[in-house]
Amino acid sequence: MKRRVASLYKRNLSGSDIAKKLGIHLRSVYRILEHQGIKRRSPFEQNRINFLKSPLSFKFKKSLTTAERELLIAGVMLYYGEGAKTRQTVDLANSDPNILKLFLKFLRKICRVNESKLRFYLYCFSNQNPYNLIKFWCDNLQITRKQFTKPYVRETNLTLQRTMAYGVLHIRYSDKRLLEKILSLISDITSSLI
């Protein structure tokens, strides 16, 4: 029993999972581990293990046609140039509808993301109508208004002559493992081309 507890714990099962699996009390699991000199995991370590064991929110396509391979490279390179590389969320911002359509197509066709987890964040100026801009993006990207978070409306600066007819739109997908996958692809593709 003692060896089995230690073996299961080393295979990243939690104390409660081991207790359920072996039909023993949780305190017994931790006593056995303590007697064997196995240090108990910190909550941070256990959360990380649980996160890595949780199911993915996307189904990355492995077998690609030539056109899909081109889409993969286009999506990854767009993210390389325009995407956020830190934190836990895939976040690409741009004002060009074609760039955003292409990246969204990459997320949908290659990454096969969970559509309900996609979020959109609009950045615009106070002389623009956020409602009309959101409607424009919904129509062009085939998304729903409920997927938008509250827009950021910046006060118009008369000396600033920057024009963004449709504002800047962020496409966001909160999944650290997808971000890591995209960053890994960026590294692989760039190193193969340089």
Side-chain angles (χ1 to χ4, degrees), residues 124-136:
C124 64
F125 291 102
S126 57
N127 64 349
Q128 296 175 299
N129 182 327
Y131 179 81
N132 290 342
L133 295 177
I134 289 173
K135 183 176 181 339
F136 168 82

Side-chain angles (χ1 to χ4, degrees), residues 78-97:
L78 278 176
Y79 200 81
Y80 188 32
E82 301 288 329
K85 317 294 186 298
T86 59
R87 304 204 182 176
Q88 301 183 67
T89 301
V90 173
D91 184 352
L92 180 125
N94 207 284
S95 59
D96 184 327

Side-chain angles (χ1 to χ4, degrees), residues 5-7 9-10 30 32-40:
V5 168
S7 171
Y9 196 73
K10 287 176 183 175
Y30 289 119
I32 290 169
L33 293 173
E34 187 180 334
H35 285 226
Q36 293 194 3
I38 298 172
K39 191 176 175 185
R40 193 168 169 179

Side-chain angles (χ1 to χ4, degrees), residues 114-126:
N114 178 346
E115 193 79 22
S116 68
K117 285 189 64 167
L118 280 168
R119 293 291 174 266
F120 301 88
Y121 174 69
L122 176 69
Y123 173 100
C124 64
F125 291 102
S126 57

Side-chain angles (χ1 to χ4, degrees), residues 170-186:
H170 288 256
I171 297 175
R172 291 181 170 162
Y173 192 79
S174 188
D175 189 312
K176 185 178 181 180
R177 288 180 287 186
L178 181 57
L179 177 61
E180 289 170 351
K181 175 76 173 170
I182 291 171
L183 294 178
S184 172
L185 286 166
I186 287 171

